[in-house]
Structures are given as structure tokens and as C-alpha cells.
Amino acid sequence: MHIAAIRMPLPTCAVREVGHYLRGVCTTHRASYPKSLRVLGIESSCDDTAAAVVASDGQILGECSHHQYAVHEEHGGIVPGLAANEHLKNMPLVLHGALKAAGMRMDELDAVAVTRGPGLPSSLSVCVAAGKALAAAHSLPLVGVHHMEAHALMARMGNEQSVRFPYLCLLISGGHTMSLVVHDVNEYTLIGTTRDDSVGEAFDKVARELQIPWIVAQEGGGPGPALERIACRGDPSRFRMPMPMNKHDSGSSPDFSFSGIKAHIKRLREIGAFDPLCQRDQADIAAAFQLTTTQHLCKKTALALKHAKIALGAEAACLVASGGVASNQTVRAGLQRLAEKHNVPLVCPPPRLCTDNGVMIAWAGIERLRRGLLDPYTIDFIQRWPLDQLKHMGYERRSSSF
Ligand code: KG4
Ligand code: ZN
């Protein structure tokens, strides 16, 4: 998108304001700002409705979210139509809640950032419509955010000096499993990706196979956290799980695969090797699955570090892990051991900011705003959107003369 194309839909007053906020941005990306930015982030790409106000120094000024576990649990997975209805119902409430928690009005904000994709179309359409309408009504700059870029940049919030570019990022969520080099905001090189299911999907399906109830704690729910909680009581050595992609032809690939281990557990249940209604069996299978999955993630991340070094001609500055599965303590501990072995710092956002939230969208909005990567009020959602294609979308870095 060219500057002219962006300028057109913004009223003159908004253009002047944006120009003011971006004064001092330089093309070497070491920006300095006349004032702190305060951005509203809005997320509803899947089953969480969330909003947050974040400042450019990394402070969370206010946030509010609504989860839909209770609605989807009886269906065994996310039902897109039900998710969209819930978003429509709850979006105004979380927006009101985030602004109230921040003690701010819309006209005190500097921009609106909204998840533009990838995700469920009917869910995305709710946050995109809300974000565009709010930004347009208040003549604020709009930033359309790639959901996975928001996960990838989350570890930098208030921590930009430690999490410097380029770094290797492991994104492990419900929709994606991939390792990539983060060269800068908007610039990614894919290293490894899943050849079948995502790791989050595998957690969810195994939790279903084990008939684990989703709601396990007041503060969190969903099948992944439920499986983690059951697994910590289990013996991971009782059931042997196949290690994915361990053969000659695939062993050296940084790609991931989770369908084999998931199918193995299904087979074990079908032949009666375990009883999902027996708590001991449930815990032991969950523990074996979680451990094998962690080992697979770590093995492929070690290979990704090597690939990143070749791609960059230097070591990655650090290893970042983010996305819902990065809130899992066994996964975090495995990655920590790997990072120590490879002498690279591991940075993971706090667990609650690894899963979907409004803060990460607001923060990604700040990072993009700093580089002048804004969008017109006419943007639509993008259902499928490879992260490494972002840089080809025709955004233009603004100079200080904008
Ligand atoms: O990033 P996220 O919140 O949403 C997507 O972008 O997909 O990730 C959700 C996924 C779900 O599959 C969920 O079950 C999984 O992350 N998850 C976990 C944990 N918390 C969330 N998996 C394992 N252990 C957890 N503690
Ligand atoms: Zn996510």
C-alpha cells in the first residue's frame, strides 16, 4: 500500500496527527517519539474477545477479555457461528471494560490496532468492523495486525533492549506451529512449519480423546490447560509414544508433525490399552503426550537455530517462544534447557500473554505505528495470511516528512 492510498481515507486532521506522532521516525528503525503512544488493541480472530490499551513504554493501561469455553465445550471444538455470535454480544462490553480499566476515553488514544487475520472469517469480521468503525469515528490512525506477528512481537513489549532483532521465534498456537527468523517488524523468514496438525490442535484433540473436561481453573480453561493440569499427576514413562519425524529422511528437517502421535493415542484407546475414564490412565497418557511433544518441539527448534544461523550468517540474538502452547510449563522448561545448551537467551511472554489477548494486538500496533505501517479505514479481514508474505504487501515505511 502506498502512502497516497493510506492518506486518502484519513481525514486531514488525522493525517496531521499521525504525522505528528511519527515525527522522528528514521529509516534505520531507531525511532524517537515526541510523546508516548497509547493504542487500543482489539482481538476476536477465534474464540476470545479481547481489548486492551497499551502505552509505548510497555505499560498495560487497561484490558478486558471474554472467553467462550463454556459455549464450545459441549461441541468438542470451536463452532464458528457460535463464536461469532458471542463476539457480537461481548465486543462492546470488552471495549468498554478496557477503556474503563485504563480510565481513558477514545479521544485520548493515539491509534486503534485490530487483528486483521488469519483466523475464522465470521470471528475476524467482528473485530475488523469494530476497529475500523472506532478509528474512523474518532479520526484515529488504524493498524491492521497479523495475529501471528502480534504473538511474535509480544516478548518485546517493554523489553526491546533485550529482545533485539534478528531473533528466532517459535510460534506454537492452535492454528500454527512454526519457527521463523524475525528480522524486524513486518519481516519474517519461515524456517520450519507443521506438515499436518498444529501443536495446539494436537493438545486439543488428545484432551478430547482422553475426555478431559475443559474448565479446570477459575482463571483459565480450554483443552490445552486442562491436559497440562492432568499431565502433572501422570507418569510419562508408562506409555511409549512414537517420536515424530525421527527417520533418516525427515530427521534433519526443521518441520514439525503431530498427527502420528495423535493417531497413536487414538489407536491405543481403540484397542483398549487405556481407559479414558480411569484417572491414572488419563494422567499417564497426558504426561507421555506432553513430554514427547515437548521433546519434538525442542529437537526441531535446535535445528531451526542452526538454519537461522546459516540464514543470518550469525547467531540469532535470542530465542522467543509464544502462542498459547508456550504457556505450558513443561514446554517452557524443555525450551529453557535447549536455550541453555545452545547458549542463547530464551524469552517467553508471561503465560497469560502467550494465549490470545488484546495486549499483544495493541503492542504490535505500536511497533507498526512506529514504522509508519498504517492502514486505510477500508481494510477487510484476511482469512489465510502467511506471515512471511507480510513484507510483500506493499506497505511503505514513512519518513519523518510524512
Ligand atoms: O495462541 P492461542 O491462544 O490461539 C491461537 O492463535 O490459536 O493458542 C490456543 C491453543 C489451543 O490449542 C490451546 O489448547 C493451547 O493453545 N494452549 C495450551 C495451553 N494453553 C493454551 N496447550 C498446552 N498447554 C497449555 N497450558
Ligand atoms: Zn493466537
Side-chain angles (χ1 to χ4, degrees):
M1 178 180 327
H2 296 287
I3 291 174
I6 299 166
R7 270 186 178 163
M8 261 204 314
L10 283 172
T12 327
C13 56
V15 172
R16 206 180 317 118
E17 296 260 282
V18 175
H20 170 70
Y21 296 145
L22 296 180
R23 195 166 302 137
V25 172
C26 66
T27 49
T28 54
H29 316 163
R30 280 182 291 276
S32 66
Y33 303 96
K35 68 190 274 278
S36 163
L37 296 167
R38 287 165 304 183
V39 172
L40 172 68
I42 311 173
E43 153 71 26
S44 72
S45 62
C46 187
D47 59 337
D48 292 309
T49 324
V53 181
V54 174
S56 48
D57 64 0
Q59 261 200 77
I60 301 170
L61 302 176
E63 59 178 314
C64 187
S65 57
H66 177 268
H67 309 283
Q68 305 180 0
Y69 312 123
V71 174
H72 300 291
E73 180 171 15
E74 65 174 293
H75 303 279
I78 313 296
V79 182
L82 292 179
N85 285 347
E86 286 294 299
H87 290 312
L88 280 171
K89 196 165 70 193
N90 294 303
M91 183 58 80
L93 305 180
V94 302
L95 288 167
H96 181 76
L99 287 165
K100 193 170 173 206
M104 290 178 74
R105 297 184 314 268
M106 281 301 299
D107 59 11
E108 293 175 290
L109 294 170
D110 297 302
V112 175
V114 63
T115 306
R116 190 178 178 189
L120 298 172
S122 50
S123 290
L124 286 168
S125 61
V126 177
C127 62
V128 170
K132 290 197 298 188
L134 281 173
H138 295 273
S139 301
L140 289 170
L142 176 70
V143 187
V145 171
H146 190 297
H147 180 89
M148 298 313 290
E149 170 163 65
H151 277 306
L153 297 176
M154 186 64 247
R156 280 171 48 80
M157 191 178 81
N159 203 14
E160 295 107 301
Q161 294 311 312
S162 307
V163 187
R164 290 171 183 271
F165 302 115
Y167 57 86
L168 181 75
C169 186
L170 178 67
L171 290 178
I172 39 181
S173 73
H176 297 83
T177 302
M178 53 193 178
S179 55
L180 4 82
V181 173
V182 184
H183 299 278
D184 198 338
V185 174
N186 210 45
E187 286 179 34
Y188 300 85
T189 300
L190 185 68
I191 304 259
T193 188
T194 182
R195 293 187 177 179
D196 38 62
D197 296 340
S198 75
V199 60
E201 215 176 330
F203 265 91
D204 297 351
K205 286 182 179 162
V206 170
R208 193 166 153 189
E209 200 69 58
L210 295 174
Q211 300 178 25
I212 299 173
W214 284 16
I215 312 290
V216 290
Q218 267 187 334
E219 73 276 10
L227 188 145
E228 176 176 18
R229 186 139 131 174
I230 301 268
C232 63
R233 299 199 293 264
D235 169 7
S237 63
R238 192 172 140 222
F239 292 96
R240 281 183 74 84
M241 297 286 150
M243 183 58 71
M245 295 187 61
N246 222 11
K247 307 245 163 58
H248 290 311
D249 53 342
S250 57
S252 60
S253 163
D255 283 349
F256 305 88
S257 168
F258 299 94
S259 61
I261 182 167
K262 186 193 70 186
H264 181 73
I265 292 172
K266 186 164 183 268
R267 221 164 25 246
L268 288 181
R269 187 184 54 75
E270 284 165 357
I271 62 169
F274 73 88
D275 175 4
L277 299 176
C278 162
Q279 288 193 354
R280 165 97 205 280
D281 285 1
Q282 215 184 34
D284 291 347
I285 292 278
F289 164 77
Q290 186 174 255
L291 183 67
T292 309
T293 299
T294 300
Q295 288 167 342
H296 176 52
L297 286 171
C298 290
K299 195 172 162 214
K300 296 306 183 181
T301 305
L303 286 167
L305 279 167
K306 275 192 201 162
H307 282 253
K309 186 173 176 183
I310 295 165
L312 293 168
E315 303 282 355
C318 61
L319 170 63
V320 166
S322 192
V325 180
S327 64
N328 182 290
Q329 295 302 326
T330 303
V331 170
R332 286 167 94 98
L335 290 171
Q336 184 58 45
R337 283 192 295 275
L338 169 88
E340 281 164 18
K341 192 169 155 201
H342 287 259
N343 206 18
V344 58
L346 172 72
V347 188
C348 303
R352 74 176 190 89
L353 295 177
C354 284
T355 50
D356 290 354
N357 62 83
V359 173
M360 69 182 199
I361 306 303
W363 177 254
I366 288 168
E367 294 258 41
R368 294 184 71 79
L369 196 59
R370 282 169 167 174
R371 285 158 177 78
L373 298 168
L374 307 185
D375 294 286
Y377 295 150
T378 49
I379 55 168
D380 204 351
F381 66 80
I382 305 176
Q383 181 186 0
R384 292 198 179 80
W385 194 5
L387 187 49
D388 56 351
Q389 296 301 305
L390 264 186
K391 58 179 177 272
H392 303 303
M393 282 192 68
Y395 290 101
E396 220 170 77
R397 289 184 194 286
R398 307 283 172 80
S399 71
S400 56
S401 61
F402 170 67

